[in-house]
Amino acid sequence: MTKKLFALLITLTIISTSSAFADWIVPASSLPENAKNFIHQIYPDAQIWKAERDDGKFEVKLSNGSKIDFLYNGEWDSIDGKYNTIPFSALPQTAANTIKNTYPNAVIIEIEKEWGNYKVKLNNFMELFITSEGQLMGQKFDD
């Protein structure tokens, strides 16, 4: 009986300890190569200020205030400009052209990938839903 109780106590301790330290700060060098390349391509003047790893995903904060979430394989999942401009080059050219044609005076402040499509927030409070081929699937005012 005491062996079972001891084993249960050890298991509970391991579970509570692992969830308490879910986010680990890691060196920028531990990011996947394509994630580092993406950052340097999209934000060539920004420095990586902080990189965290959580269950194989990475959250990167840049010196310009932007935050990028990467999947374990180094593909970006979301970009939050924190109300700073996200370059159109972060998107496929067809999706970027759709945004430029629909709202020529707006800039991107947040992008999220959703099932191969993109949810894009603009500085004019519009939220666009665009396929990777550039088709505008919908839009709404996001106040």
Side-chain angles (χ1 to χ4, degrees):
M1 179 68 174
T2 56
K3 287 182 182 181
K4 288 182 182 180
L5 185 58
F6 183 72
L8 178 63
L9 183 60
I10 295 277
T11 303
L12 290 175
T13 302
I14 291 170
I15 291 171
S16 65
T17 303
S18 65
S19 64
F21 298 105
D23 292 340
W24 291 90
I25 295 176
V26 296
S29 60
S30 69
L31 292 172
E33 205 58 40
N34 55 335
K36 291 186 278 189
N37 291 339
F38 178 81
I39 292 168
H40 294 301
Q41 177 188 355
I42 303 302
Y43 295 108
D45 297 327
Q47 302 295 316
I48 297 174
W49 273 7
K50 182 178 170 185
E52 292 181 21
R53 184 175 182 157
D54 182 19
D55 291 332
K57 294 182 181 180
F58 296 93
E59 180 180 294
V60 177
K61 294 183 181 176
L62 303 177
S63 59
N64 66 0
S66 297
K67 181 179 80 85
I68 307 172
D69 290 335
F70 292 96
L71 301 175
Y72 68 93
N73 63 1
E75 286 191 37
W76 69 270
D77 186 49
S78 65
I79 305 171
D80 188 349
K82 299 292 182 187
Y83 294 98
N84 294 313
T85 301
I86 298 172
F88 283 99
S89 58
L91 290 168
Q93 189 63 49
T94 53
N97 288 342
T98 299
I99 297 166
K100 290 176 188 177
N101 293 334
T102 308
Y103 293 102
N105 297 321
V107 295
I108 303 169
I109 58 171
E110 192 173 329
I111 308 171
E112 193 174 328
K113 284 185 183 176
E114 293 184 341
W115 301 97
N117 299 315
Y118 301 92
K119 180 170 76 172
V120 180
K121 291 186 181 183
L122 304 176
N123 66 333
N124 63 358
F125 299 104
M126 291 305 295
E127 189 171 83
L128 308 178
F129 302 91
I130 304 171
T131 67
S132 56
E133 293 82 30
Q135 183 179 1
L136 182 62
M137 300 299 291
Q139 58 184 316
K140 68 178 187 174
F141 185 74
D142 184 41
D143 56 349

